[in-house]
Amino acid sequence: MTHTTTTLLGAAAAALLALSACDSADLVDDEAGLSFRADPWDTGRLNTFFLGQDHTYPINAVPIVDDPAADVRLHAVWTKRCFNEEIGAYYDGELFYTSNLDGELGITVTNGKLMPATFRKFGDPSTTCTVAGADWLWTVWGVITKDGEATKNHYMMILDAAVDENDNPVYEWGVYTGKDDIFVPKTYAKTCDEDKDPNADFSLRYHSYLFEGLQVDTDTGAFTANPDQFTVACRAGAIAKAASWGFTPWEYGFEVQELATRMVRADYCGDGTPHTEDGTLVQISDIYGQNAFGEPEGVDEAAWDLETGAAICVTAPRIGFQDPEVAEFSCGGVALPHCDQLDLSGAEMRTKNPV
């Protein structure tokens, strides 16, 4: 698959012209050890059953290779501000776009952070510049989705870039509403649901993490590697909560993050089915030193095992654990045992229900 410069420029120009015809109604909807802020009530963390992927917008899995046959394509990224290292100055107000020769967009994410990328000047592709760090703000991302023969243009913007409570990079994304110029931030609606956890940083409630090389099955909750994309996970969802609670893939790998995501959702069977309600408190302890039970300690809920990718025992299900009729939890018709000391001492993660 080869894309010539002419094709690139034509695609970019066509996309920009197509903005005036967009149906707005369709579009609206350090290496140092980690540390956590103290829980002011010492009761636990608020879980969610929401996996963290929004089916309304094509932002959950962003491809970094432009494949015209794909159902979701990132075909270009545009900016009006980037730095020319040769002259040591910024270009401001002129249109630049990513190069995607041979399908490569030049977009990379490392440890959750967008890395520097080369952009070409529209109409003069021999003139290049670099977008890095804070200059990713207000870049416009052109996404094309395909449903059968029908295609639709979507435009996203990075509205903010920050770091979370543990210095991990987070980004706030918006989706174009069609109400103003494409480069005006106020015309973008926030893509993420609001994270309402009172223990979380209020200023980051609409932000998300970028997980490079990750693909998540929305039905089973399974994590698999896909080097041609990165996943955008809103902080309101379980994938991101697992990261904000210390289980980032760049620190521990995807297997640990997947197990933590299942823990957040009380996905005891490891099959993608949550057994909790949004906003339920849970106490966590783990072998990685990221979380410890608060005071007073609650009732043992479950022990979570990395080898099985699920709970190996459930003493008190998160929902209804105070109901004497809730005596056991079953997976596929087989009851999971109540947790004994051996289960609890050998588990990668343990959870308790606050009382």
Side-chain angles (χ1 to χ4, degrees):
M1 177 176 60
T2 301
H3 297 271
T4 65
T5 301
T6 302
T7 301
L8 279 172
L9 294 175
L16 289 171
L17 291 173
L19 287 174
S20 61
C22 283
D23 185 348
S24 61
D26 289 338
L27 294 176
V28 176
D29 212 17
D30 305 359
E31 297 183 359
L34 296 176
S35 60
F36 285 89
R37 296 186 309 165
D39 180 344
W41 300 290
D42 212 18
T43 52
R45 299 183 181 276
L46 295 184
N47 79 176
T48 183
F49 58 82
F50 172 50
L51 191 59
Q53 297 183 304
D54 187 342
H55 296 281
T56 307
Y57 307 119
I59 67 165
N60 304 308
V62 178
I64 56 176
V65 175
D66 183 16
D67 179 3
D71 290 337
V72 179
R73 298 173 54 195
L74 174 64
H75 65 98
V77 183
W78 297 282
T79 187
K80 285 191 172 181
R81 176 177 170 80
C82 59
F83 188 74
N84 186 304
E85 297 180 358
E86 291 185 1
I87 64 175
Y90 277 94
Y91 292 111
D92 279 306
E94 299 179 86
L95 182 63
F96 286 78
Y97 64 96
T98 50
S99 168
N100 63 342
L101 296 176
D102 297 323
E104 297 293 335
L105 286 160
I107 304 295
T108 57
V109 176
T110 301
N111 294 347
K113 182 179 181 179
L114 283 164
M115 303 308 290
T118 298
F119 281 60
R120 297 169 181 254
K121 185 176 181 179
F122 183 68
D124 181 15
S126 63
T127 299
T128 63
C129 59
T130 300
V131 171
D135 294 334
W136 283 107
L137 289 179
W138 305 341
T139 52
V140 175
W141 299 56
V143 176
I144 299 174
T145 57
K146 182 169 59 174
D147 185 5
E149 296 299 320
T151 61
K152 182 188 294 186
N153 288 320
H154 308 259
Y155 299 92
M156 301 185 301
M157 177 180 280
I158 296 179
L159 301 173
D160 187 45
V163 294
D164 74 355
E165 299 87 344
N166 307 299
D167 291 329
N168 294 308
V170 289
Y171 297 86
E172 182 181 72
W173 294 80
V175 65
Y176 181 63
T177 64
K179 297 177 181 178
D180 208 329
D181 183 87
I182 188 175
F183 286 100
V184 176
K186 69 179 181 180
T187 196
Y188 286 79
K190 293 177 173 59
T191 58
C192 282
D193 287 346
E194 182 181 4
D195 181 11
K196 298 180 181 179
D197 189 336
N199 295 330
D201 189 328
F202 183 76
S203 69
L204 304 179
R205 63 195 187 279
Y206 295 109
H207 287 63
S208 57
Y209 296 90
L210 311 184
F211 299 125
E212 63 267 24
L214 174 63
Q215 183 166 315
V216 180
D217 188 309
T218 56
D219 294 323
T220 67
F223 285 26
T224 56
N226 187 335
D228 293 335
Q229 69 177 41
F230 62 84
T231 286
V232 180
C234 298
R235 275 171 59 94
I239 301 173
K241 282 190 179 294
S244 70
W245 295 356
F247 306 109
T248 57
W250 42 87
E251 186 77 15
Y252 298 111
F254 286 138
E255 287 186 340
V256 171
Q257 187 190 19
E258 179 181 341
L259 181 65
T261 300
R262 297 193 187 280
M263 174 192 68
V264 172
R265 305 178 75 219
D267 180 4
Y268 303 122
C269 302
D271 60 3
T273 305
H275 300 279
T276 187
E277 295 175 354
D278 199 23
T280 302
L281 279 168
V282 60
Q283 293 180 333
I284 310 162
S285 178
D286 62 79
I287 66 171
Y288 309 102
Q290 298 304 315
N291 302 271
F293 295 134
E295 295 292 343
E297 290 190 14
V299 176
D300 283 326
E301 180 204 14
W304 302 84
D305 179 67
L306 191 60
E307 184 175 348
T308 64
I312 54 172
C313 60
V314 177
T315 297
R318 196 170 303 176
I319 298 300
F321 74 93
Q322 293 175 318
D323 186 344
E325 295 184 4
V326 182
E328 63 182 26
F329 188 89
S330 298
C331 292
V334 179
L336 290 178
H338 284 195
C339 299
D340 60 24
Q341 192 55 43
L342 184 61
D343 294 325
L344 296 172
S345 63
E348 278 78 15
M349 303 172 196
R350 295 169 53 193
T351 48
K352 290 179 179 283
N353 297 308
V355 293

